[in-house]
Amino acid sequence: MSAGSSPAGRRGGPVILLAAAAVIVAVVVAAWVLQAGSGGEDVPPAGGSPSGYSVTVRKGGEVRGHYDLAALRALPQATVVIDGKEQEGPLLRTLLEDAGIDRVAGVSVVGAGVRDGGRLELTAAQVDRGVQLDFSRRGTVKVCAPWLDRSEWVRDVISIDAE
Amino acid sequence: MPSEMTGRQPYVWSLTLRDLLLIALIAALCMLAKQVLRMPIHVPGHSGVLWVALFVVCRGLVDKRGVGPLLGLVAGLLAQFAGFGHQGPLEWAKWLTAGVILELLVLSIPGDLRAWGKAAVVGAGLHLGKLAALTFAGLVLRVPVALLLLGLGWSATTHALFGALGGVLGALALRELRRVPFLDAQARGG
């Protein structure tokens, strides 16, 4: 017996190997089909959000607005370079002001939590330190800032709750 | 008696202390690899290159049935309780799934894990399995389906490619490691 070997012997090996590779290719194709069926695209058109994705902004639990990608793009944009990559989108402060929220005691950013912790708590002072929304390839936005550790970033932002 | 001499593959309950230490060490290295190999290239699944290679190396060095799920479980527990993951209460599930798929593919595809073809397919499969578990965990945690499906095709493609690359790297590492006498004896079950 050798390293990581199958007890099934070597007969039919190439056929089984090819069959396993075909299953993997089929899974990848199925993922593309599921994605296409959901209306999701990797790079959404500049004017819209094909999947119905939007960010809900609340103040004290009261909904102040829903922002789809088009609405977010319509806000004044800012750009910051983090780790050599440009992050472009509206500042969090800009979004809050557009929703009619001028003063905050703190802000909770909530994301889908699929690829990160899915939650970030910011103080009023931190909100004013260039916290930025960035349009991702997935057709969603993430919250980031040069002073935030990458592990603290929130991807696929769903809601922003101000207190 | 070494399994290579008997022709039978022992099960996971015949693990030696050395096997267990190796599994624990590689599980810890997987966590470290996830943290260290985080390049700003913005391609999903790129950190899998290293941990998939480590999974392949571990299964190749501890050649006993059931080692895959055990490695996945140990890595999952480490990720869950040492705070390495982001899947909340289901962090362990993706690692265990990767381990289970590693085992299934190793047992069902004839040949040696040092063969590039087998290692690439095993690597791609277990990395895709982790992505599937991640997506399923999102469903359980009631993440909107539309968000889960966004970019899924691209993610699946890159996970398969990086997984295959990790598998090939694992096979190369395994070939070199088997030149070390005590590791070779370890892999033979001696």
Side-chain angles (χ1 to χ4, degrees):
Chain A
M1 193 76 58
S2 50
S5 58
S6 160
R10 289 184 180 276
R11 273 192 303 175
V15 175
I16 296 175
L17 186 64
L18 282 175
V23 169
I24 287 168
V25 171
V27 169
V28 172
V29 170
W32 280 105
V33 171
L34 276 172
Q35 177 184 311
S38 75
E41 297 174 16
D42 265 353
V43 185
S49 50
S51 63
Y53 170 78
S54 67
V55 178
T56 302
V57 181
R58 300 188 190 89
K59 172 77 187 288
E62 177 194 346
V63 175
R64 293 297 184 91
H66 298 285
Y67 290 79
D68 62 10
L69 291 180
L72 290 170
R73 287 185 197 281
L75 297 172
Q77 305 288 296
T79 303
V80 64
V81 178
I82 303 176
D83 292 339
K85 182 179 183 290
E86 282 191 353
Q87 312 284 347
E88 187 175 5
L91 290 172
L92 177 58
R93 168 55 74 190
T94 305
L95 174 61
L96 291 171
E97 285 174 356
D98 190 77
I101 303 169
D102 293 325
R103 298 180 63 179
V104 296
V107 170
S108 297
V109 179
V110 179
V114 181
R115 288 163 177 77
D116 50 44
R119 193 171 192 91
L120 174 66
E121 304 287 343
L122 296 165
T123 64
Q126 288 173 325
V127 169
D128 290 326
R129 286 181 62 197
V131 178
Q132 167 119 24
L133 276 72
D134 169 65
F135 297 99
S136 72
R137 286 178 55 87
R138 285 162 48 75
T140 62
V141 291
K142 67 170 176 279
V143 163
C144 58
W147 52 271
L148 271 175
D149 188 80
R150 188 174 282 269
S151 65
E152 295 178 287
W153 292 7
V154 175
R155 295 159 185 84
D156 306 330
V157 174
I158 296 171
S159 68
I160 293 170
D161 301 302
E163 292 297 333
Chain B
M1 185 177 291
S3 61
E4 196 159 84
M5 290 173 67
T6 62
R8 287 196 302 262
Q9 196 173 30
Y11 284 85
V12 72
W13 44 81
S14 63
L15 288 175
T16 63
L17 179 62
R18 196 167 59 184
D19 293 335
L20 288 169
L21 285 174
L22 196 58
I23 291 169
L25 176 69
I26 289 184
L29 281 175
C30 287
M31 296 302 109
L32 198 62
K34 282 281 287 180
Q35 301 302 309
V36 171
L37 193 71
R38 201 172 278 276
M39 294 177 290
I41 58 173
H42 303 280
V43 181
H46 69 272
S47 65
V49 170
L50 215 48
W51 72 258
V52 166
L54 287 166
F55 264 53
V56 167
V57 166
C58 184
R59 186 60 181 78
L61 288 181
V62 188
D63 194 13
K64 294 175 180 174
R65 290 184 182 194
V67 163
L70 181 63
L71 173 63
L73 186 65
V74 174
L77 290 175
L78 266 177
Q80 186 77 62
F81 296 111
F84 286 111
H86 304 292
Q87 288 311 114
L90 293 174
E91 178 62 32
W92 57 273
K94 67 181 185 189
W95 293 98
L96 180 59
T97 304
V100 169
I101 291 181
L102 166 71
E103 190 67 25
L104 289 176
L105 289 175
V106 164
L107 291 179
S108 57
I109 301 173
D112 194 308
L113 260 181
R114 285 173 292 181
W116 294 0
K118 176 171 178 173
V121 169
V122 167
L126 77 94
H127 207 200
L128 272 179
K130 193 212 82 173
L131 178 66
L134 193 76
T135 307
F136 184 72
L139 286 174
V140 172
L141 296 172
R142 302 192 175 190
V143 173
V145 175
L147 271 184
L148 289 174
L149 296 181
L150 270 175
L152 187 64
W154 171 243
S155 278
T157 306
T158 56
H159 273 74
L161 291 175
F162 283 120
L165 182 60
V168 170
L169 287 177
L172 287 172
L174 205 49
R175 287 179 184 203
E176 295 304 314
L177 288 170
R178 288 289 299 266
R179 295 177 198 269
V180 180
F182 89 91
L183 288 175
D184 187 51
Q186 157 86 33
R188 289 164 182 263

